[in-house]
Amino acid sequence: MKGLKGFLKSNEKLTYEGGKAYELSFEEFVAEMFSLGLVKGNFYQSDLEVIENTKDIMKKALQQCPEWATKCAVYGQEFNSLKLVPTIWLVYLSTLDDKELFNKAFERIITNPKMLHDFMTLVRKGGIREGMGRSVKRAINHWLNNKLNDYYATRYKVKLGEVIKVARPIAVERIQPFVDYIINDNEEAFERASALKEVINTLNEGKLDSSTVELVSKHKLQLEELKHTFGNLSNEHKKVIFEFMVPGLKYNALTSNLVTIERVFATETRKVKKASEHGVFDQVEVVKSNIPKELVDIVAKKLSDYEAYRKSRMLPFGLITANAMTITPEWKKAIDSVLIKSGRDVFSVPANIGVRIGVDTSGSMGTKVTSSLSAVDVASLFGSMVYMSIKNSNVYATATFTKKVDVNRYENLFENAKRIVKTDVGYGTCFEPLLDEYMGEKYVVLITDGQQSDNIEAKWAKLHNRPKGSKLIIWHVVGYNNKVSNRADVVYLKGFSDRLLSVLKNIIEDKAGQFEQIEGIKL
């Protein structure tokens, strides 16, 4: 290291593998932590541990750049579906004497009663501020009076009960029946609560009749509200209730409940270990399921509805997860058909714009980034999507070596991903060869989980046949507390959220990068 003194510039550092990287500016660090939720690289922490690990940064942001940090938090919630870190920031924001930023950000970050409850808990027990205070109670009161509805009241009854008992809001007339139901257990306080009670009692008795079905329809009772009652129903009744409810489900709700349907009709299950942000847990996994053919067909037809998928505004990652979770072949096939179409429609790039995609297939990419997908699953599937939707593009597998992959633009998305993963390029991380025989592509995209041991930036800088506006895009599905370049033409994305596909899309379509997207948020 002593020999490197004078060679490295003030903000330069070496990566773990020995390549060159750069320290993040404080604003860049805040953007990463607040908008991606990466806290010291540890995904298995309790809420209080996250508070402790972010305390110094939050306090510094509160002093130096409260508006920027608020934009980052809003971005993290709205684009990356983060919950905890933006909510923690909101608690810090509430400690400022001027409550303007806090009030503007509150309803942008707190989007449902669970988050409202989490916010209240952090205010009271997070060690960030002392007590609720009038401004916090006023914000909670305003949220309840404007956002509380009959579905929220029944779905989040317990959590809302705790919020109301602590905040003691002055309820407007519109929500008083909901408060009566939540606080006084008055199940006749409003029509939906009464209907839900009647339907649950009927289904628990193993009965299903036309009046029950009518109540489900009239009040749009959700599968998540009723699925715990299906255990006493006959298979025929289960079939009827699902055939009735499935057509009314939104596309994203259906994809998230495929395993629920399989579990209801399961004939063989097994216990497996799963990992989430809360740690390792046991889960019952369906091995075999005897779902009625009519129901299989109804679900498959809805899953294959590409227009319904587009209207749902789901990004392909959700479909990829659903495909990985379900065991029903017809549903996998239906999802795959939508993925092929969505893969081809992801990017709108003229034929004269060239794109080169490098997918890291090294040994470390086997790490799970969701309960069902590994880093290499995400990278190879996204790489396939980029290739399939951009006419002038090529995909390369890269690790110790780099090889062009013979993928087929019109074939199954998952088969293309398998081709990428199976390409033998070793297990190391040497990404510089990705730029060998560079053919003037405007965009070079590297999807990886590790930092290179060579300096791909230096090779990029020396290329003389790069078109105007060209960019090297390095997408780390796992983030680090540094970046690989200070250059404006090197874009560094972090995180494995499917929302980052939107950022990549905006860059390749000559729109905005992640940093620019945050700057563009209006409070």
Side-chain angles (χ1 to χ4, degrees), residues 79-94:
F79 284 80
N80 289 342
S81 301
L82 293 185
K83 308 299 181 190
L84 182 56
V85 171
T87 303
I88 292 173
W89 170 248
L90 199 59
V91 179
Y92 276 96
L93 207 55
S94 73

Side-chain angles (χ1 to χ4, degrees), residues 128-350:
I128 299 169
R129 56 174 295 147
E130 295 181 5
M132 296 274 285
R134 290 182 181 179
S135 59
V136 170
K137 288 185 177 180
R138 192 181 303 116
I140 292 175
N141 187 31
H142 188 267
W143 195 98
L144 290 169
N145 283 329
N146 285 277
K147 300 292 185 180
L148 188 58
N149 56 41
D150 57 358
Y151 171 70
Y152 279 162
T154 54
R155 178 73 176 86
Y156 299 97
K157 181 181 179 182
V158 174
K159 292 187 181 298
L160 284 168
E162 293 179 19
V163 172
I164 290 170
K165 286 176 183 177
V166 172
R168 298 184 179 277
I170 300 172
V172 298
E173 184 178 354
R174 183 186 71 82
I175 72 164
Q176 284 177 356
F178 307 147
V179 175
D180 186 21
Y181 167 78
I182 293 164
I183 298 299
N184 302 318
D185 290 323
N186 182 5
E187 293 180 305
E188 307 298 328
F190 55 97
E191 197 175 356
R192 192 179 195 277
S194 177
L196 181 61
K197 176 186 176 183
E198 184 176 340
V199 170
I200 288 175
N201 287 340
T202 302
L203 296 180
N204 277 333
E205 292 173 3
K207 300 175 182 177
L208 181 66
D209 51 34
S210 59
S211 61
T212 304
V213 171
E214 286 174 9
L215 287 175
V216 172
S217 176
K218 180 180 178 180
H219 298 284
K220 297 180 180 178
L221 300 183
Q222 301 295 304
L223 186 59
E224 61 192 21
E225 297 177 279
L226 301 177
K227 60 188 179 184
H228 67 282
T229 66
F230 296 159
N232 294 325
L233 295 177
S234 67
N235 276 355
E236 184 58 33
H237 282 162
K238 291 175 186 176
K239 174 175 172 288
V240 171
I241 194 74
F242 275 111
E243 286 180 353
F244 178 77
M245 295 189 74
V246 165
L249 290 177
K250 293 181 179 179
Y251 195 91
N252 52 356
L254 176 61
T255 57
S256 64
N257 277 291
L258 295 179
V259 175
T260 297
I261 300 173
E262 290 174 336
R263 188 171 286 124
V264 167
F265 293 96
T267 57
E268 183 182 342
T269 61
R270 64 184 176 189
K271 280 189 177 180
V272 294
K273 295 286 185 183
K274 293 284 186 177
S276 76
E277 67 272 19
H278 303 296
V280 178
F281 61 95
D282 289 325
Q283 187 177 77
V284 176
E285 187 175 83
V286 178
V287 178
K288 293 180 181 178
S289 189
N290 187 23
I291 306 170
K293 180 67 165 57
E294 297 88 344
L295 180 56
V296 170
D297 292 343
I298 289 171
V299 173
K301 183 178 180 181
K302 191 171 179 69
L303 287 173
S304 61
D305 186 344
Y306 185 63
E307 286 307 310
Y309 163 74
R310 290 187 64 182
K311 290 177 182 177
S312 74
R313 300 182 69 186
M314 285 179 65
L315 288 170
F317 186 81
L319 285 179
I320 292 169
T321 301
N323 189 289
M325 295 292 287
T326 184
I327 63 169
T328 306
E330 293 88 344
W331 298 353
K332 283 181 173 292
K333 184 177 179 181
I335 293 172
D336 196 29
S337 69
V338 173
L339 277 171
I340 289 174
K341 291 179 183 177
S342 66
R344 293 181 190 141
D345 291 344
V346 170
F347 299 98
S348 178
V349 178

Side-chain angles (χ1 to χ4, degrees), residues 34 56 76 103 166 193 258 316 334 366 398 412 431 448 463 494 502:
F34 283 36
D56 292 341
N103 291 328
V166 172
L258 295 179
T398 182
N412 181 292
F431 302 141
T448 178
L463 295 174
K494 301 179 183 181
S502 294

